[in-house]
Amino acid sequence: MTIRLYLFVLAILPALTGTVTAQGPSSDAHHGHHMSSDDAGMVMNENRDALPRDCKEISEDVPFTIRAGREYARELPGEIFGMSQYEVRVPRCSRVAITFVNEDSVRHQWMVHGLPKYLYPAGMFHIEVSGGRQKTGTFIVPGGDQTYLIHCDLAQHMEKGMRGQLVVGEGSGELWGVQNISDDFNRAFYLPKNISLWALIVALVGFILTVLIIKSSHSSDRRQ
Ligand SMILES: [Cu+2]
């Protein structure tokens, strides 16, 4: 009888400990990501001290508070979600501490892409915050001039306004579709900036030439 009870406890032990871990604050590896979470949200791939290969030391500590919510999109045509700041400019090799405040009732994320994968699994650092909560996460940027995409990865949130850029050093050019910074569409890099104006001019010239050719052929028909 005692042995049976022992076996029973042994069998349900993983389930019990699993439930306990899921309820309390936890810090573990999730699909190779380093994640720390509580009921306010989570920080994935936080990095306070590991230096990128092209940095000898941390150049500076730069804290930011970024707010997210519908309120910030109120003046923006076609957008639903907004942020208090769409562009974050930091020095090369700086340690960036982001306090992400979610003023909505739905979840939001502040996610950076394209970081070195040897430090940040999948090249990603991200903070996710439940409605009405806030969370702070820290990461160290590399030593090259580079522009990184920031967005909220929840369905349709980026398309509806939550898209920004992290500019390290001089950056590597503006990304498209960043609020207050760049145009709201993806322009192929090989096309000139005022491509629509040029297309209009070419169409007009083509139209005028066609009309002239038709007119001159009509008048030469009449002369014959
Ligand atoms: Cu969002």
Side-chain angles (χ1 to χ4, degrees):
M1 194 66 194
T2 330
I3 289 173
R4 265 195 210 165
L5 186 69
Y6 173 69
L7 285 175
F8 175 69
V9 170
L10 207 64
I12 64 163
L13 203 61
L16 281 176
T17 48
T19 319
V20 170
T21 320
Q23 280 170 348
S26 66
S27 181
D28 61 339
H30 176 74
H31 300 298
H33 293 282
H34 308 288
M35 179 171 96
S36 75
S37 63
D38 55 29
D39 59 350
M42 67 164 175
V43 178
M44 198 176 265
N45 299 339
E46 175 146 71
N47 172 26
R48 294 168 198 273
D49 42 33
L51 286 174
R53 284 174 194 154
D54 51 358
C55 297
K56 285 202 171 71
E57 56 183 10
I58 289 164
S59 62
E60 206 177 310
D61 274 293
V62 280
F64 288 92
T65 297
I66 294 168
R67 297 166 176 276
R70 286 164 193 261
E71 190 57 34
Y72 300 97
R74 235 164 40 143
E75 310 279 298
L76 309 172
E79 310 292 23
I80 294 175
F81 303 111
M83 293 192 278
S84 58
Q85 186 175 344
Y86 295 94
E87 186 180 71
V88 174
R89 285 188 167 264
V90 300
R92 294 181 291 260
C93 300
S94 57
R95 179 160 53 198
V96 187
I98 301 287
T99 298
F100 189 48
V101 184
N102 183 354
E103 297 181 358
D104 274 345
S105 52
V106 295
R107 271 186 306 149
H108 283 305
Q109 296 171 333
W110 192 90
M111 187 183 274
V112 184
H113 287 271
L115 294 167
K117 290 184 178 152
Y118 58 86
L119 276 183
Y120 305 91
M124 226 166 67
F125 164 82
H126 103 253
I127 305 176
E128 180 169 322
V129 184
S130 312
R133 306 297 292 269
Q134 69 173 62
K135 209 143 177 67
T136 301
T138 306
F139 65 109
I140 301 168
V141 299
D145 292 323
Q146 184 78 39
T147 307
Y148 299 88
L149 172 69
I150 297 169
H151 74 142
C152 174
D153 199 31
L154 292 169
Q156 287 297 314
H157 285 205
M158 176 169 73
E159 290 77 359
K160 295 300 178 196
M162 297 191 74
R163 187 179 159 91
Q165 62 184 18
L166 167 70
V167 180
V168 176
E170 299 297 308
S172 53
E174 317 282 26
L175 300 183
W176 62 273
V178 176
Q179 212 63 249
N180 312 331
I181 308 271
S182 51
D183 290 337
D184 196 18
F185 59 91
N186 190 2
R187 184 194 299 111
F189 65 92
Y190 52 83
L191 296 176
K193 199 165 182 172
N194 34 16
I195 180 68
S196 35
L197 184 66
W198 281 112
L200 193 68
I201 291 171
V202 168
L204 266 174
V205 169
F207 176 74
I208 292 166
L209 280 177
T210 314
V211 169
L212 288 177
I213 290 167
I214 291 171
K215 271 195 172 175
S216 70
S217 72
H218 275 204
S219 55
S220 62
D221 281 352
R222 259 178 259 142
R223 258 183 256 131
Q224 279 169 358

